[in-house]
Amino acid sequence: MIEIKKASFENIENIIEIINDAKSFLKSQGLDQWQQGYPNESSIRNDIINNNSYVLLDNGVIKATAAIIFDNDPNYSTIYNGKWLSSNNYVTIHRIATKADSRNKGYAKEIIEFAKNLIKSKNIESIRIDTHTKNIPMQKFLEKNGFKACGIIYLNNEINEVNKRIAYEYVIKKG
């Protein structure tokens, strides 16, 4: 049985393991995303403190994690070579990752569906997410799950290749 719930400090070790698996996977794909120490235990602790950290459990075992954030993301205040699909409140998903032995089992999709249902219940219009310009698997995953590429954002508004990300948005259909 799959369950998604808010993470607690007891989950940190499992979350860090999943994040480290994701870092290894990204490195094996030749990507420099998540290779400079972030995300780390401090960022995961902050997610938990701010009630943004979620874990997906399958039969009681943590298999995936993500941060679902209800505050506007300052990285998304300026978008280049495009525009956002909506201008209303949005939720941001960051640090979505699946345990190495659990890839391609639909867990990331479960988290996305959970986030979609969460925003519907809170009357929020859209979900925003970004990924590395060379992270083709994530780009394909987002597009397959209804997200539209909107343009380019730069982490910390530092315009350089290291911080360049493709920004995506999913808008809830009304009615």
Side-chain angles (χ1 to χ4, degrees):
M1 182 176 104
I2 292 177
E3 173 189 15
I4 298 174
K5 65 179 190 173
K6 287 203 176 185
S8 66
F9 288 113
E10 292 84 40
N11 305 134
I12 286 179
E13 191 174 307
N14 295 101
I15 295 170
I16 294 298
E17 180 185 348
I18 292 168
I19 294 294
N20 287 338
D21 283 351
K23 287 179 179 183
S24 295
F25 174 75
L26 292 168
K27 186 174 186 176
S28 76
Q29 301 295 302
L31 297 172
D32 63 0
Q33 186 176 4
W34 289 9
Q35 301 304 305
Q36 285 78 39
Y38 169 88
N40 54 33
E41 186 172 332
S42 175
S43 53
I44 301 306
R45 282 186 178 279
N46 284 335
D47 287 342
I48 293 170
I49 289 168
N50 293 315
N51 290 311
N52 297 328
S53 184
Y54 290 81
V55 289
L56 178 145
L57 298 93
D58 192 348
N59 292 316
V61 178
I62 296 174
K63 298 291 188 172
T65 184
I68 302 174
I69 304 165
F70 285 85
D71 296 325
N72 286 348
D73 188 323
N75 289 308
Y76 295 167
S77 61
T78 304
I79 189 165
Y80 299 88
N81 303 324
K83 66 178 187 168
W84 293 111
L85 301 174
S86 72
S87 58
N88 296 327
N89 289 342
Y90 61 89
V91 163
T92 306
I93 299 177
H94 285 306
R95 296 175 287 288
I96 188 167
T98 302
K99 196 169 179 160
D101 65 2
S102 301
R103 284 199 189 96
N104 301 314
K105 295 192 181 198
Y107 295 137
K109 181 176 177 51
E110 290 281 346
I111 290 173
I112 294 293
E113 291 303 316
F114 174 82
K116 288 176 182 179
N117 289 327
L118 200 58
I119 69 169
K120 283 180 192 173
S121 71
K122 297 188 181 287
N123 206 23
I124 295 173
E125 186 175 315
S126 71
I127 302 171
R128 293 181 183 176
I129 191 168
D130 64 83
T131 192
H132 194 284
T133 57
K134 295 179 182 167
N135 190 339
I136 305 303
M138 186 60 157
Q139 292 169 32
K140 288 181 179 178
F141 168 78
L142 291 171
E143 290 166 11
K144 183 178 177 183
N145 284 280
F147 286 81
K148 304 288 183 218
C150 294
I152 300 295
I153 60 108
Y154 292 92
L155 302 180
N156 304 315
N157 290 314
E158 294 177 14
I159 300 176
N160 58 48
E161 284 301 310
V162 173
N163 291 323
K164 186 177 184 180
R165 299 291 184 269
I166 301 173
Y168 288 84
E169 188 169 26
Y170 174 87
V171 177
I172 295 292
K173 293 178 178 67
K174 303 253 185 204

